[in-house]
Amino acid sequence: MRIPLTRRELEHATRVGKGRQEMNAAKGIHDANGFRGDPEEIHVQGAIGEKAISKAFNLPWVEVTDEFKKIKADVGSGVLQVRSTPLETARLLLCERDNDRQLWILC
């Protein structure tokens, strides 16, 4: 399923992703699960994916918080977790710390 974002929505999600990376850098927080790459790019990509899922399901999106570990879910009220990738052949990867009582979406 394709979820088109308007230019304004895309710009908003991009600002959110960049803000997340700035916050992490200021706090000395490193990317999880051995990610190697441009951390700002991955945060922007993640924010865009979350924004798209939020729009598709008409659910609220948790944009930015300095206490991200307290967030129950990316989208909705503690229900949906979003992982995103630019790869068309990617698969959803779950880690041991991921809550198996939540719904996980790859976009």
Side-chain angles (χ1 to χ4, degrees):
M1 170 167 66
R2 293 203 180 265
I3 306 157
L5 296 179
T6 65
R7 189 182 86 204
R8 179 178 252 165
E9 291 168 333
L10 192 57
E11 289 171 351
H12 176 235
T14 298
R15 281 193 309 275
V16 168
K18 288 181 177 186
R20 288 177 180 175
Q21 176 52 32
E22 289 172 10
M23 184 175 50
N24 284 353
K27 290 184 167 200
I29 298 171
H30 301 285
D31 293 307
N33 305 321
F35 172 76
R36 298 183 211 288
D38 181 350
E40 183 176 277
E41 184 179 317
I42 200 72
H43 284 286
V44 168
Q45 178 185 316
I48 290 170
E50 292 167 13
K51 179 80 170 177
I53 296 301
S54 170
K55 182 177 181 177
F57 288 96
N58 195 29
L59 292 170
W61 173 38
V62 178
E63 298 172 15
V64 167
T65 178
D66 58 352
E67 297 190 33
F68 68 93
K69 293 198 182 237
K70 292 183 180 179
I71 295 173
K72 292 181 180 177
D74 298 320
V75 175
S77 56
V79 178
L80 295 176
Q81 294 286 13
V82 179
R83 296 259 162 87
S84 47
T85 179
L87 305 173
E88 291 186 24
T89 59
R91 295 185 178 144
L92 178 63
L93 299 176
L94 297 176
C95 303
E96 292 221 6
R97 73 179 194 301
D98 293 334
N99 186 340
D100 61 1
R101 292 186 206 145
Q102 293 179 312
L103 299 175
W104 291 83
I105 296 176
L106 177 66
C107 65

